[in-house]
Amino acid sequence: MRLKVLGLMAALLPLAACNLTSGGGASVADAGVTDALIAQVPEGEWLSYGRDYGEQRFSPLTQITDANVGQLGLAWFHDLDTARGQEATPLMHDGTLYISTAWSMVKAFDAKTGALKWSYDPEVPRETLVRACCDAVNRGVALYGDKVFVGTLDGRLVALDQKTGKVAWSKVVVPNQQDYTITGAPRVVKGKVLIGSGGSEYKARGYIAAYDANSGKELWKFHTVPGNPADGFENKAMEAAAKTWAGEWWTLGGGGTVWDAITYDPTTNLVLFGTGNAEPWNPAASGREGDSLYTSSIVAVNADTGEYVWHFQETPEDRWDFDSAQQITLADLNIGGQQRHVVLHAPKNGHVYVLDAKTGQFISATPFVMVNWATGIDPVTGKATVNPAARYEKGAPFVSLPGAVGAHSWQPQSFSPKTGLLYLPVNNAGFPYAAAKDWKATDIGFQTGLDGYVTSMPADAAARAAAMKATTGTLVAWDPVAKKAAWKVELPSPSNGGILSTAGNLVFQGTAGGDFVAYSADKGKQLWSFPAQSGIIAAPMTYAIDGEQYVAVMVGWGGVWDVATGVLAHKAKKQRNISRLVVFKLGGKSALPAPPPMAQMVLDPPPFTGTPEQAKAGGELYGRYCNVCHGDAAVAGGVNPDLRHTAALNAPEAIRSVVIEGALQHNGMVSFKSALKPEDADNIRHYLIKRANEDKALEAR
Ligand code: CA
């Protein structure tokens, strides 16, 4: 392997020269992971979140093919010491496989044998959970030089030694640890570690920043939304953006967080990144009007300076949580007889966008799911025309297709230059939006301005069944030139895993139901599957050592579909989290232990003794503060406690001690005293008892 790496390095010397000499005459072998290596990854390695800078997640390895994938077997596995959603893509360099897990831990393995080399735990305080929209997840590490970089849920950027896992430096990089979290994978470009943050459901002002890989020193920072004009604007881009806002948007941050996609294009020296939703979701809650730049956009900045170069807004006047933070892939396509270097992007809003990668010029946008929030796309500018009914703050509630979870979210896509297809993990799921009346911001929990009671799943069995029937997943192989699907695989549930495509004519994807599946890349024919015992949401990757090709994926159900929409996750198999890394090769003979038996939970609530007014008041508060962790309509997924089952339903003092006094803070259940009074806790209890009795009656039918 090493020889192969060196051979490639020699071929790349003109590109790599400055990196190889900038470290004071370091030899090629000492340089570790360089820009040149990431730009042109050795075929057996996987060096950055999306494999290389272009983020195609396509591997040229051909040992495992559509003809022999049936012989794929488990080579080794490692059970993890966290039981929450696993979203990371492993990286492989020089025989070592690096992963991050829930709670931002990092582990390094011998990639051939699975022997654990080292493990790092940043000891993220568990009460950080209340600041995180979507579980204690982490999507991966970055490799550069001799270091491994990870962003932690509580907002630190940490550099570790690749050989030992020892901390080289660690720095809090978020503006505050109340409203900002990090779940995304850093990328490293020319010695600069790039990372943004999450937080657009709180009071965050989005940004991306670059830090020196050797010291952690901040080198540049680009905000995605303007701050208070009275403080002066940081640059012309902020001044221009401020004209697209109204009200006092800065008091609630404005959103636009850079929580996932960061793509470096070596051919243009641009860093492209996707921005999150505008905050708060309901524009009337902050007097917001207009397009709210640069939220729900792709923005390009100069990699050396962080200076604005271009932007393309995919969702104008966002009020639907339509993040554009989804993975950005670079590709070279022949469009209309012309060779174009393009961006391929499929954000939450349900369209595949093709843009010129150098200028951001619009090429095409095509819906890949049913879309009703927009009535069309301007063929010249690419700007969507908003359906007036979708402006829910001006009228009645609106059920949008797609909804807040997105037609496509962080689950990575893959582009195969061999088939010319973009493989998309798609969610089919609407979402009801209703503006809260007399809404006021508080200091804890989601700050969306929505009425969580109106938008929660009704207890009515028929309505629930209809909503579940319409909530599914699809694996779509999209032809970005023909602007249509080449093939599709319908899946019973949303939130399936990210995608890997290979030169062996294969596409790999895990499912919410817990199967790891291989399809033919050209036709979508299912060729192989493996029962992994827990839902898979992460993306697979592949690597080779000593002439053998391996395929690896993180297993572990969780993330937003589990914690916030548990009621829908129950569609697939009954969900639970078994967190592990599984690695396959042809003829692999390892086997997983039998899964522990599934606990049977029987609803046995006390009788409802509250008033309808108490239950409604409790339901409104539950919708605002509780459902993001404990599940829509009080039906939890497999990760957090299902409150319909809590023994404390009978004990108002116990509920108060948890909700108001923070008795379970060590578990991550912090005090909500800043927003809730003791009688509020009591009303939430009445709501939970009502919901438990409703569902008990449904189960008895
Ligand atoms: Ca969001």
Side-chain angles (χ1 to χ4, degrees):
M1 202 64 238
R2 180 46 102 176
L3 279 175
K4 218 168 189 176
V5 171
L6 288 175
L8 234 155
M9 288 289 295
L12 286 166
L13 268 180
L15 240 177
C18 64
N19 298 300
L20 298 180
T21 52
S22 64
S27 72
V28 170
D30 290 338
V33 177
T34 61
D35 295 276
L37 266 197
I38 302 173
Q40 190 100 38
V41 180
E43 74 170 18
E45 300 213 343
W46 192 288
L47 291 182
S48 182
Y49 182 63
R51 188 168 184 271
D52 56 16
Y53 281 133
E55 308 244 335
Q56 293 190 340
R57 290 178 178 268
F58 169 82
S59 167
L61 293 173
T62 53
Q63 185 176 79
I64 303 169
T65 69
D66 53 349
N68 64 19
V69 68
Q71 297 157 35
L72 207 56
L74 194 62
W76 57 269
F77 68 96
H78 183 95
D79 282 345
L80 300 171
D81 49 358
T82 73
R84 287 192 166 267
Q86 306 298 340
E87 297 189 351
T89 303
L91 305 190
M92 204 291 276
H93 172 58
D94 205 10
T96 302
L97 194 71
Y98 300 89
I99 63 168
S100 66
T101 74
W103 294 116
S104 329
M105 299 186 208
V106 183
K107 293 178 195 299
F109 300 91
D110 181 315
K112 189 171 174 171
T113 66
L116 182 67
K117 291 185 164 182
W118 53 259
S119 187
Y120 165 72
D121 181 356
E123 297 178 2
V124 173
R126 285 349 187 206
E127 54 265 35
T128 308
L129 265 186
V130 76
R131 321 284 179 209
C133 75
C134 311
D135 202 358
V137 295
N138 188 281
R139 283 184 292 281
V141 299
L143 299 176
Y144 197 78
D146 60 356
K147 294 189 180 65
V148 185
F149 300 91
V150 66
T152 69
L153 194 69
D154 57 344
R156 287 171 281 162
L157 185 60
V158 182
L160 307 169
D161 182 278
Q162 274 174 22
K163 292 257 173 326
T164 64
K166 293 261 173 336
V167 175
W169 55 262
S170 170
K171 182 178 179 178
V172 174
V173 290
V174 292
N176 71 60
Q177 289 171 297
Q178 312 306 306
D179 295 298
Y180 298 80
T181 52
I182 299 178
T183 57
R187 315 302 200 273
V188 191
V189 176
K190 298 181 175 177
K192 299 178 182 68
V193 187
L194 306 175
I195 191 79
S197 80
S200 288
E201 276 65 48
Y202 301 84
K203 295 176 194 167
R205 182 185 179 200
Y207 67 90
I208 179 174
Y211 303 89
D212 185 291
N214 287 319
S215 66
K217 183 178 171 233
E218 185 182 305
L219 299 174
W220 57 254
K221 186 174 210 169
F222 180 85
H223 285 101
T224 62
V225 300
N228 185 347
D231 299 336
F233 298 113
E234 289 91 350
N235 50 49
K236 286 217 158 44
M238 291 300 104
E239 194 175 347
K243 298 188 172 80
T244 66
W245 292 77
E248 298 191 338
W249 72 86
W250 60 89
T251 57
L252 291 174
T257 47
V258 183
W259 59 264
D260 194 62
I262 303 171
T263 296
Y264 174 63
D265 189 345
T267 66
T268 59
N269 197 36
L270 296 178
V271 173
L272 313 182
F273 52 91
T275 64
N277 58 282
E279 159 67 15
W281 296 6
N282 170 5
S286 71
R288 177 164 69 80
E289 281 190 55
D291 286 346
S292 304
L293 290 173
Y294 302 95
T295 64
S296 304
S297 302
I298 293 181
V299 183
V301 298
N302 180 298
D304 301 320
T305 62
E307 272 175 291
Y308 169 93
V309 177
W310 59 259
H311 80 275
F312 181 87
Q313 187 175 53
E314 295 170 326
T315 305
E317 51 180 276
D318 170 57
R319 53 173 65 68
W320 312 277
D321 186 25
F322 282 166
D323 304 286
S324 281
Q326 293 64 36
Q327 188 191 332
I328 296 168
T329 299
L330 301 173
D332 293 294
L333 300 179
N334 191 301
I335 298 175
Q338 247 193 316
Q339 203 59 21
R340 303 287 300 263
H341 183 53
V342 302
V343 164
L344 299 176
H345 199 228
K348 275 187 176 182
N349 82 16
H351 300 75
V352 175
Y353 290 82
V354 183
L355 307 176
D356 185 283
K358 187 173 182 189
T359 63
Q361 188 200 6
F362 173 73
I363 297 173
S364 69
T366 317
F368 60 92
V369 289
M370 291 248 290
V371 168
N372 72 355
W373 68 272
T375 55
I377 301 276
D378 185 296
V380 176
T381 65
K383 186 166 181 171
T385 306
V386 174
N387 176 356
R391 296 188 176 110
Y392 58 87
E393 81 282 8
K394 298 191 193 301
F398 178 72
V399 179
S400 177
L401 295 170
V405 289
H408 172 221
S409 190
W410 64 268
Q411 277 92 341
Q413 63 193 15
S414 174
F415 174 77
S416 164
K418 253 188 121 169
T419 61
L421 299 175
L422 178 69
Y423 301 96
L424 284 173
V426 171
N427 303 313
N428 307 297
F431 186 88
Y433 299 83
K437 298 205 172 45
D438 307 320
W439 183 86
K440 288 209 171 37
T442 60
D443 287 331
I444 193 164
F446 267 30
Q447 307 294 326
T448 61
L450 257 52
D451 185 330
Y453 188 67
V454 172
T455 60
S456 69
M457 181 69 73
D460 175 70
R464 193 176 290 195
M468 285 199 187
K469 189 157 177 255
T471 304
T472 62
T474 315
L475 166 58
V476 175
W478 186 263
D479 182 334
V481 176
K483 296 183 275 187
K484 61 178 191 188
W487 54 261
K488 289 182 183 187
V489 174
E490 299 299 340
L491 298 164
S493 149
S495 194
N496 301 289
I499 317 281
L500 161 71
S501 65
T502 76
N505 193 32
L506 290 171
V507 162
F508 289 90
Q509 184 189 31
T511 70
D515 295 314
F516 187 46
V517 187
Y519 303 91
S520 64
D522 55 352
K523 302 259 169 58
K525 185 175 179 229
Q526 183 173 326
L527 301 172
W528 171 85
S529 86
F530 176 88
Q533 304 177 352
S534 179
I536 299 172
I537 52 179
M541 52 77 78
T542 185
Y543 60 91
I545 300 177
D546 295 341
E548 273 192 306
Q549 184 183 356
Y550 297 78
V551 177
V553 69
M554 304 274 288
V555 177
W557 179 249
V560 68
W561 276 96
D562 182 83
V563 299
T565 61
V567 68
L568 298 177
H570 282 255
K571 273 176 64 79
K573 295 171 197 167
K574 180 80 180 145
Q575 299 289 347
R576 64 169 152 190
N577 180 294
I578 301 173
S579 285
R580 55 169 57 119
L581 168 65
V582 290
V583 180
F584 301 87
K585 66 175 183 179
L586 292 176
K589 294 278 188 290
S590 185
L592 297 178
M598 191 75 96
Q600 288 297 322
M601 299 282 277
V602 178
L603 280 170
D604 186 24
F608 177 66
T609 55
T611 66
E613 292 73 28
Q614 282 176 312
K616 181 164 188 294
E620 284 168 4
L621 294 169
Y622 181 91
R624 176 159 184 184
Y625 294 107
C626 316
N627 79 348
V628 60
C629 286
H630 294 285
D632 184 62
V635 182
V639 173
N640 287 322
D642 187 310
L643 299 180
R644 299 168 305 159
H645 289 278
T646 177
L649 286 182
N650 249 334
E653 322 74 44
I655 295 263
R656 279 198 294 267
S657 78
V658 171
V659 174
I660 307 298
E661 302 308 328
L664 295 178
Q665 171 147 342
H666 57 283
N667 279 352
M669 173 60 203
V670 298
S671 162
F672 281 72
K673 177 157 66 177
S674 71
L676 298 175
K677 299 186 203 58
E679 56 266 37
D680 295 331
D682 225 40
N683 288 342
I684 291 171
R685 186 178 69 91
H686 286 304
Y687 168 72
L688 293 172
I689 294 172
K690 176 168 168 282
R691 285 289 305 110
N693 278 289
E694 286 168 353
D695 288 351
K696 185 181 174 187
L698 281 184
E699 282 178 8
R701 287 173 12 155

